Amino acid sequence: MARTLYEKLVDEHLVASPPDEAPLLYIDLHLIHEVTSPQAFDGLRLASRRVRRPERTLATADHNVPTDPPSTPVSDPVSRRQLEALDENCREFGITLFPRGNEHQGIVHVIGPELGATQPGMTIVCGDSHTSTHGAFGALAFGIGTSEVEHVLATQTLPHQRARTMAVTLEGQVPPGVSAKDIVLAIVARLGTGGGAGHVIEYRGQAIRDLSMEGRMTICNMSIEAGARAGLIGVDDTTIDYLRDHVIVDDDEFARLAARWRTYVSDDDATFDSEVILRADDLVPSVTWGTNPAQVVALDGVVPSPHDERDPAQAEAAARALAYMGLEPGTPIRDVAVDVVFIGSCTNSRLEDLRAAAEVVRGRRVAEGVRALVVPGSHAVKRHAEAEGLDRVFLDAGFEWREPGCSMCLGMNPDQLRPGQRSASTSNRNFEGRQGRGGRTHLVSPAVAAATALMGRFASPAEVSA
Amino acid sequence: MKPVHVVEGRAVPLERSDVDTDQIIPSEWLKRVERTGFGRGLFSEWRDDPAFVLNQPAYAGATILVAQARFGTGSSREHAVWALMDYGFAAVVASSFGDIFANNAASQGLVTVTLPPDALEELTQLVKADPSRLVVVDVERLLVEVPDAAWQHAFSLNALTRERLLHGWDTIGLTLRHDNEIARFESAHWAPSVPIRFAP
C-alpha cells in the first residue's frame, strides 16, 4: 500500500504495538541542552536508572549561554549552575557534550545537521519545540517535554500517538526577493497557530524543491508555529549533496547510506489526511505585526485593523496584540521604526542566512540609534563566515558580531529587549515578552532584517541599494 | 505521579485565546534546575496587574483553570505544567491545546479537558457569575460538572492518558516491560549512532 513519508518513518521505528497502549517508537538521535534536561537527569538518579544509549545522545549548551567571548565568565549564577549541571550530567552518564566555547558548540538544531548527526530516515527528538527543523532531511523530528526527555534517556523509545498527515504544497516559483522565511510566514498565516495541531506536515512542490537545505530547515523549523508536531521534506539530490559534505564516511559507506536515504519520500500515490495548496508566485516579503506568528502582513502593507477580523475572538486577540505592540491600524509597515535588529536563532542563523544579510549590508552603515547584532548559529557557521570576511562586513557597518547561541530569540541570556523596545528579528516567535519583558518583536527574513537595520525602519533590500 | 480520579474546586476564567507557554512561564524561569517552585512565575508578566484574574480574591484557591482556544502552544517547556500545578491547578479546560503541552500535562497528571467553544463559553459565564461555585472534572466519568447550576458536559480523553491519570502510572516503568523488544529492535536496526568524525 502506498505510504506517506511520515507513515514510513513510523513503521520503520515501531518497537512494540501493545494493545491499549500507544505504539512504542525507537529514537535514533536524542539531542539535549541545558534548559530542559536537568530535571530529567535528576529523575534518572532518583529511580537508579541509566542512560540506555549514550551513543545516540548528543548535548550542547545553547539556550542560556552568553554570546560574549567564551573567556568571559557566565555572570548569572542561575545560568552558570544550569550549565554546570549539564557538564556534570553528561560526564556522569557518558554523553558527548559540546560546551560553551567548544569548536562544535552551537544551537542544537544548527549543529545536528552540520555535524552529520541528522540523517534521513531517522527519528530525532529534543526537549525543544523547534526540533521540527531536522525534518528538512526526511527525518521524523519533534519536540518533547522534560518527562519525555527522561523517558528517552532511560529507554531510547517514546510512546507515540499517530499524527494525522497534512501536505502543504507550494506550486510555482517564488518571485525574486522572497526567502524561505517569507514562505513559512505565509504558511503559518494561512494555517493559523492551531491549524497544524495533531498533524505532521509534509512540504512539497516546486518552490520547496528549489530551496537549499538551509532554506528547507527554515521552513520545517517553524512547523510548530502552525501547531504541527513535525515538518517533513522528502529526500532529493539537494539533500544528498548536503549530506556528502557533512556525513564523514568512506565512499562505499556513503553510497550505501545514500541509496537508503533516497527511499525517504512519500510514495507517488500516497494520500494525506488533508492538503493545503499555496501559489508561490503570489508570495511577498513579509513581517509579523502582532504577538503570534500567524499575524503576518506584507512588508508593502499596513498594520491591519481588528475590524478586519470576522471572528470576535480573533478580533479581540488582534486588538490586544496591537495594544501590546504599540501600533495603530493603517500605519504603513515601512513607517514603523525599530530599536534593535537581531539576526540569529535556529530559524535563520546559518551561513546562507548570514550571506543574505551581509550582501545587503556590505559597504553601508547601521542607522543611528539602532542596535544590530548577528549571532551565528554555531562555531562552525562563525568560522566559515569569518573565512569569507562576513564578520568584517557586519562589524564595519556597526553590527555586533557575537558568539553562537540562542541569544535574543528567547531572551534567556543577557541579549534581551528592554520594555517597549521594538525589534526586527529573524527568529521564530513574536510572543509577548519573548525577547525580554515588554519587548515588541517583528519576525522577518535575514535580508529584510539587514535592510531594516540600515534604514532604522522596516525596509526591503531594494530600498538600501537605491 | 499520583492517581487522579476527580478534580473538584473553584474555577478561574482566563479570557484570552492563544496563551502560549512563554506567557504561562517566561524564559527567565527556565534557568532553574529544580522541578518545584515555578508557581511564583506562573503568568508572571500579567501578575503585576491588580486587575488580572488570578489576583482577584474571589478566585483565590482555584484548582481549575478555564482557558480558551490554543492554550499552551509554542515552546515545549514542561515548566509551564510545573508552574500551573505548583500554583495549585489540577485541571485546565480549554477549546484546544498545544500538542506538546497536552503531552507534558498528561505525564505530570495535570488534567486537560477539551470542550467545544459553546460549552466552554457556558462554563466561563457560570464561573464568572459566581466565582465560589464548585466545579468538578471527573476523569472516571469523563464529565465536567457545575452541580449548583445543574450544568454538565462530557469530554473525551485518549484512553491511555485516562488510564495513566487514574492509575498514576510511571510511563518509563511501563515501557521498560518491553525491554526485550527494544533490545531485539536495536540489534536489527540500521540507523547509525552519533558520528565520531565531524566535518570541519
Side-chain angles (χ1 to χ4, degrees), chain A residues 322-452:
Chain A
L322 287 177
Y324 180 84
M325 295 298 287
L327 292 173
E328 284 297 322
T331 310
I333 294 294
R334 281 195 164 79
D335 289 353
V336 177
V338 303
D339 306 295
V340 175
V341 172
F342 171 61
I343 298 176
S345 88
C346 58
T347 311
N348 280 130
S349 65
R350 298 176 184 84
L351 190 57
E352 178 181 286
D353 302 313
L354 304 192
R355 283 177 182 155
E359 194 180 324
V360 178
V361 167
R362 194 180 299 276
R364 301 187 172 86
R365 292 284 307 169
V366 170
E368 189 74 29
V370 172
R371 180 188 179 200
L373 55 163
V374 182
V375 181
S378 69
H379 276 286
V381 169
K382 185 165 182 275
R383 274 195 305 277
H384 286 122
E386 288 172 353
E388 292 180 14
L390 302 187
D391 56 328
R392 287 313 326 166
V393 172
F394 288 115
L395 286 165
D396 290 349
F399 277 82
E400 298 169 36
W401 177 253
R402 305 194 65 93
E403 295 292 316
C406 299
S407 180
M408 197 180 272
C409 173
L410 84 167
M412 274 195 76
N413 78 347
D415 307 334
Q416 295 185 19
L417 296 181
R418 293 195 302 274
Q421 276 193 325
R422 187 181 300 284
S423 77
S425 176
T426 66
S427 56
N428 40 56
R429 286 184 176 141
N430 50 347
F431 296 154
E432 285 183 31
R434 170 83 176 177
Q435 296 188 296
R437 193 173 179 132
R440 295 160 167 170
T441 302
H442 297 264
L443 305 177
V444 292
S445 69
V448 170
T452 299

Side-chain angles (χ1 to χ4, degrees), chain A residues 291 320 324 432-433 437, chain B residues 14-26 41-55 65 71:
Chain A
T291 54
R320 195 194 299 277
Y324 180 84
E432 285 183 31
R437 193 173 179 132
Chain B
L14 181 67
E15 294 185 274
R16 294 173 185 238
S17 65
D18 298 281
V19 175
D20 56 73
T21 54
D22 275 81
Q23 308 324 308
I24 299 172
I25 185 95
L42 179 69
F43 301 127
S44 69
E45 303 222 356
W46 300 335
R47 294 262 289 277
D48 292 344
D49 174 5
F52 181 57
V53 69
L54 286 195
N55 293 328
L65 182 69
F71 185 82

Side-chain angles (χ1 to χ4, degrees), chain A residues 107-411:
Chain A
I107 303 174
V108 64
H109 309 308
V110 174
I111 67 167
E114 192 173 82
L115 297 174
T118 298
Q119 296 179 18
M122 282 184 161
T123 46
I124 302 174
V125 297
C126 174
D128 186 279
S129 60
H130 292 110
T131 308
S132 57
T133 311
H134 308 264
F137 290 82
L140 177 59
F142 53 90
I144 57 178
T146 298
S147 294
E148 292 172 308
V149 170
E150 184 180 337
H151 192 284
V152 176
L153 288 172
T155 71
Q156 206 58 37
T157 67
L158 262 188
H160 181 73
Q161 290 296 336
R162 273 186 193 263
R164 291 189 290 277
T165 55
M166 177 188 289
V168 170
T169 304
L170 276 110
E171 293 183 342
Q173 292 176 292
V174 293
V178 172
S179 71
K181 184 63 160 288
D182 300 305
I183 297 176
V184 73
L185 286 173
I187 293 169
V188 175
R190 169 74 169 271
L191 296 178
T193 54
H199 287 80
V200 167
I201 298 176
E202 181 171 337
Y203 302 97
R204 310 192 302 175
Q206 185 62 44
I208 298 294
R209 291 281 146 236
D210 289 346
L211 291 171
S212 66
M213 289 314 294
E214 286 85 350
R216 294 177 187 188
M217 286 189 254
T218 300
I219 303 280
C220 287
N221 174 273
M222 288 187 69
S223 301
I224 182 71
E225 304 336 320
R229 284 310 308 272
L232 284 171
I233 295 175
V235 173
D236 63 8
D237 290 343
T238 304
T239 326
I240 303 291
D241 289 345
Y242 179 100
L243 291 162
R244 192 170 284 118
D245 294 336
H246 292 268
V247 177
I248 308 302
V249 291
D250 65 44
D251 290 352
D252 287 351
E253 175 67 359
F254 189 85
R256 199 182 62 78
L257 284 168
R260 175 179 263 281
W261 291 336
R262 284 192 187 276
T263 65
Y264 294 108
V265 293
S266 287
D267 294 331
D268 287 340
D269 43 353
T271 54
F272 292 81
D273 294 317
S274 57
E275 176 159 23
V276 172
I277 297 172
L278 280 84
R279 291 290 314 162
D281 317 64
D282 298 340
L283 300 183
V284 293
S286 298
V287 182
T288 62
W289 56 267
T291 54
N292 77 55
Q295 292 172 323
V296 175
V297 66
L299 178 62
D300 291 335
V302 300
V303 176
S305 164
H307 303 303
D308 302 342
E309 293 284 351
R310 272 170 305 181
D311 173 24
Q314 292 287 0
E316 197 187 313
R320 195 194 299 277
L322 287 177
Y324 180 84
M325 295 298 287
L327 292 173
E328 284 297 322
T331 310
I333 294 294
R334 281 195 164 79
D335 289 353
V336 177
V338 303
D339 306 295
V340 175
V341 172
F342 171 61
I343 298 176
S345 88
C346 58
T347 311
N348 280 130
S349 65
R350 298 176 184 84
L351 190 57
E352 178 181 286
D353 302 313
L354 304 192
R355 283 177 182 155
E359 194 180 324
V360 178
V361 167
R362 194 180 299 276
R364 301 187 172 86
R365 292 284 307 169
V366 170
E368 189 74 29
V370 172
R371 180 188 179 200
L373 55 163
V374 182
V375 181
S378 69
H379 276 286
V381 169
K382 185 165 182 275
R383 274 195 305 277
H384 286 122
E386 288 172 353
E388 292 180 14
L390 302 187
D391 56 328
R392 287 313 326 166
V393 172
F394 288 115
L395 286 165
D396 290 349
F399 277 82
E400 298 169 36
W401 177 253
R402 305 194 65 93
E403 295 292 316
C406 299
S407 180
M408 197 180 272
C409 173
L410 84 167

